[in-house]
Amino acid sequence: MAELPNIENLYSTLKSLRVVRHCFSNFLDSLSEGSKCDKEDGNETANQKSLNNLRMHVRELEQNIHNLTSSSINPPGGPNVMSNIDVLSLDPSPDKLNLYHQLLDCYTWIDKVSSYSGMVHSICSGSYLKRSSMPAIRKRHVPIIYDANVVPQTVDIHIQNIKSRFPDMTLNVVRPLGSNAVLQVTLGRVLKAVVFFRGLLIEGVVVRAYNEPHTDEDGKVDLYRPSQYKVFQKVTDNANAAMLHFFTPGSVDITVRSFFTWLNSFSNLFTEVCKKCNYHVRHNYPPTWREFRTLQAFHEECRP
Ligand SMILES: [Zn+2]
């Protein structure tokens, strides 16, 4: 059991402390009245007297503190292992105790966020938001053919195949931008389209009406001007969606053939009824959508 502190020593120490504080106040007062010191006669000035007095009482205080600590009071032993949050939990004030629980909840929440973000990162790093299924192909160790880097002769061969496959379709190849082909397509007497390639990769499609020219005022093939008719603007949007849908890296034949098969199905754009509602016209539009697999016609609103 720890020994109780000597009350007498404690009392005398506190008394010495009070005296020191009093002497120190006197010393500061005498310093602030410096002009009075100059008039002081004798060997010692008032400042020196106060300072000597203070020194004496400080020594006395030190002696009392030494007696007190050596006899009874032991400093607390061992390192302080409590963290700041533990100290906060010991605070008896009810409003601060609430703060302690909120802080614990916050730490738990941050731990969960860190854990979940690590899981999401591992999931997302395994999927690629690209126009292709390249990761799956890489897993099967199938070499990827970079369809954009092919010679123009290869592109011409594929276009010839399309020509022979779809007799209703008239194809005219031009190369206004170097080696990359631009295909001017005329489908029956229904529509015209401009399909531009980068190598064998279809980069974009613009569909226009049969009476709209492929070329602009300067006689150059027009790659970007949309049709003035809403019907063909919708078909253009759907054709670009089909272009992305049919894109299969490493299978150039399938990509090009599938897309032109789908585009060829618009030969009955104004004659085919919608497979769902059996009407030709709905909201002033013919069936402008063709299913990718079955090529069945649907209105935009009737799409399955
Ligand atoms: Zn319909």
Side-chain angles (χ1 to χ4, degrees):
M1 186 175 174
E3 189 181 349
L4 287 175
N6 190 329
I7 300 299
E8 290 294 331
N9 282 346
L10 189 61
Y11 177 74
S12 60
T13 306
L14 290 174
K15 188 179 176 184
S16 300
L17 180 63
R18 274 199 299 271
V19 172
V20 167
R21 291 176 67 178
H22 178 70
C23 291
F24 189 62
S25 297
N26 287 340
F27 174 63
L28 291 179
D29 287 343
S30 62
L31 276 181
S32 65
E33 299 169 356
S35 57
K36 190 178 176 183
C37 298
D38 297 337
K39 298 173 185 175
E40 187 79 22
D41 295 330
N43 295 328
E44 287 184 333
T45 62
N47 289 345
Q48 286 172 334
K49 281 182 183 174
S50 298
L51 188 59
N52 290 335
N53 198 23
L54 180 61
R55 281 177 182 159
M56 186 180 68
H57 287 292
V58 166
R59 272 191 226 107
E60 189 180 340
L61 175 63
E62 286 175 347
Q63 185 61 39
N64 283 330
I65 290 175
H66 177 73
N67 294 338
L68 187 65
T69 54
S70 62
S71 64
S72 57
I73 298 178
N74 295 320
N80 185 11
V81 295
M82 296 180 77
S83 63
N84 290 336
I85 189 171
D86 294 330
V87 174
L88 187 62
S89 71
L90 296 177
D91 198 322
S93 176
D95 54 338
K96 290 187 179 175
L97 199 63
N98 192 29
L99 181 65
Y100 167 69
H101 291 302
Q102 288 177 353
L103 194 59
L104 274 186
D105 289 343
C106 183
Y107 282 150
T108 309
W109 186 83
I110 289 175
D111 280 347
K112 282 184 180 176
V113 167
S114 175
S115 168
Y116 290 156
S117 59
M119 293 164 62
V120 168
H121 174 73
S122 63
I123 293 170
C124 289
S125 61
S127 63
Y128 297 82
L129 301 176
K130 293 181 178 176
R131 291 171 52 181
S132 64
S133 55
M134 282 182 180
I137 290 174
R138 284 197 185 113
K139 282 175 190 169
R140 294 201 305 267
H141 300 290
V142 175
I144 297 172
I145 300 172
Y146 292 97
D147 305 329
N149 301 324
V150 296
V151 294
Q153 289 78 12
T154 310
V155 181
D156 290 341
I157 292 170
H158 284 279
I159 291 172
Q160 283 299 326
N161 289 340
I162 297 167
K163 272 185 183 176
S164 59
R165 186 178 293 269
F166 306 111
D168 286 348
M169 209 179 265
T170 307
L171 304 178
N172 181 33
V173 183
V174 292
R175 288 187 165 82
L177 302 173
S179 61
N180 291 326
V182 175
L183 209 53
Q184 296 171 321
V185 183
T186 305
L187 180 60
R189 296 176 67 84
V190 179
L191 59 81
K192 285 182 177 174
V194 175
V195 182
F196 34 104
F197 289 80
R198 185 163 59 89
L200 267 172
L201 187 70
I202 300 176
E203 283 279 279
V205 188
V206 180
V207 180
R208 303 191 185 101
Y210 181 75
N211 62 339
E212 292 181 292
H214 284 302
T215 54
D216 57 16
E217 299 81 20
D218 300 331
K220 295 178 180 175
V221 61
D222 199 337
L223 300 178
Y224 304 108
R225 176 179 51 84
S227 170
Q228 59 178 315
Y229 303 105
K230 294 282 187 185
V231 173
F232 295 101
Q233 290 175 14
K234 276 193 181 296
V235 176
T236 298
D237 293 341
N238 294 336
N240 282 283
M243 170 196 76
L244 296 173
H245 173 80
F246 291 122
F247 175 70
T248 310
S251 303
V252 180
D253 260 351
I254 296 175
T255 302
V256 178
R257 197 189 327 140
S258 302
F259 175 76
F260 280 94
T261 304
W262 182 87
L263 187 63
N264 187 64
S265 68
F266 280 92
S267 59
N268 56 6
L269 175 63
F270 298 107
T271 56
E272 183 75 354
V273 294
C274 171
K275 281 285 178 279
K276 183 177 181 185
C277 64
N278 283 323
Y279 284 109
H280 284 96
V281 177
R282 186 180 181 91
H283 297 150
N284 300 322
Y285 284 101
T288 53
W289 176 256
R290 296 291 185 273
E291 266 300 295
F292 293 135
R293 281 176 163 273
T294 62
L295 302 180
Q296 290 177 332
F298 291 94
H299 294 114
E300 297 287 330
E301 298 82 3
C302 302
R303 285 167 54 175

